[in-house]
Amino acid sequence: DPKIIQKPKYLVAVTGSEKILICEQYLGHNAMYWYRQSAKKPLEFMFSYSYQKLMDNQTASSRFQPQSSKKNHLDLQITALKPDDSATYFCASSQEGGGWGNTLYFGEGSRLIVV
Amino acid sequence: GQQVQQSPASLVLQEGENAELQCNFSTSLNSMQWFYQRPEGSLVSLFYNPSGTKQSGRLTSTTVIKERRSSLHISSSQITDSGTYLCAMERGGANTGKLTFGHGTILRVHP
């Protein structure tokens, strides 16, 4: 069973609309992240959260807003969608301070297509 | 420029052959990780390997931090090894979870 659940798995949205990508992790980790993988580009770091607090934001646009209602949740709200936002969005988590380093575990991704 | 360079970009093997994938970093780094991306897109962590050699089954990862490189050796390849292998580095403060990824090596293993 997947330990990091992302919903929806696939999503088609209209330009200008707003969508929320859901992520829940059941690994007991205290840090969560969002990454994006666009066509022909490497995976890109977007946000990191630790104990529900924003630690790092590498996303230039304020249209992307993470939301953490619980320790094991980190949703991603995207407003005023553009075709360039089309990508697969991956949620990840890790246990900070673990003796084996900061291994990241990824969800299966939410593939977003904006038309 | 690209901070994480992977080679080769793609590789075709016959089942049973070995493969050596390379990852070079243009900047200093704290640690690095190898991931496998399945054909349908999901990601699997293979190794967290800041230095030295680690082995898991048919996979061996060797990282030389001072030389800013890491390799992934796949022995006796199987058809199910097909997919994309990604390396990523972590720099700046330790344990930030902020990884910079390479473009990956696409591996195809034929019977």
Side-chain angles (χ1 to χ4, degrees), chain B:
Chain B
Q2 216 170 311
Q3 293 182 310
V4 182
Q5 294 182 321
Q6 291 192 242
S7 61
S10 63
L11 186 59
V12 179
L13 298 175
Q14 274 209 309
E15 199 171 15
E17 290 182 328
N18 299 332
E20 187 91 3
L21 312 181
Q22 301 292 339
C23 188
N24 290 282
F25 309 100
S26 61
T27 63
S28 59
L29 62 154
N30 292 325
S31 66
M32 64 81 55
Q33 297 183 34
W34 282 98
F35 295 89
Y36 166 65
Q37 188 164 30
R38 296 190 179 102
E40 83 274 12
S42 60
L43 286 159
V44 177
S45 175
L46 296 177
F47 292 103
Y48 171 85
N49 188 7
S51 67
T53 298
K54 293 190 175 181
Q55 183 175 2
S56 176
R58 296 180 294 104
L59 303 180
T60 304
S61 169
T62 300
T63 298
V64 184
I65 280 283
K66 288 184 178 179
E67 296 180 11
R68 300 179 184 174
R69 60 178 175 87
S70 183
S71 65
L72 179 68
H73 182 82
I74 305 173
S75 63
S76 304
S77 63
Q78 299 177 0
I79 294 170
T80 51
D81 293 334
S82 298
T84 302
Y85 291 81
L86 300 168
C87 67
M89 69 173 191
E90 184 174 22
R91 54 189 300 246
N95 296 336
T96 63
K98 183 177 172 182
L99 301 179
T100 302
F101 281 82
H103 279 87
T105 293
I106 300 171
L107 175 65
R108 292 180 185 165
V109 182
H110 293 303

Side-chain angles (χ1 to χ4, degrees), chain A residues 61-113:
Chain A
S61 174
S62 59
R63 297 186 297 108
F64 295 84
Q65 290 292 328
Q67 299 169 347
S68 181
S69 59
K70 298 179 186 177
K71 180 186 171 186
N72 68 327
H73 281 233
L74 186 64
D75 300 336
L76 182 64
Q77 180 185 39
I78 313 173
T79 58
L81 279 161
K82 302 178 180 180
D84 277 352
D85 297 332
S86 298
T88 301
Y89 292 83
F90 287 96
C91 175
S93 70
S94 68
Q95 183 61 32
E96 287 183 340
W100 42 84
N102 203 28
T103 301
L104 262 64
Y105 296 89
F106 282 80
E108 297 190 342
S110 290
R111 185 171 178 186
L112 171 66
I113 297 173

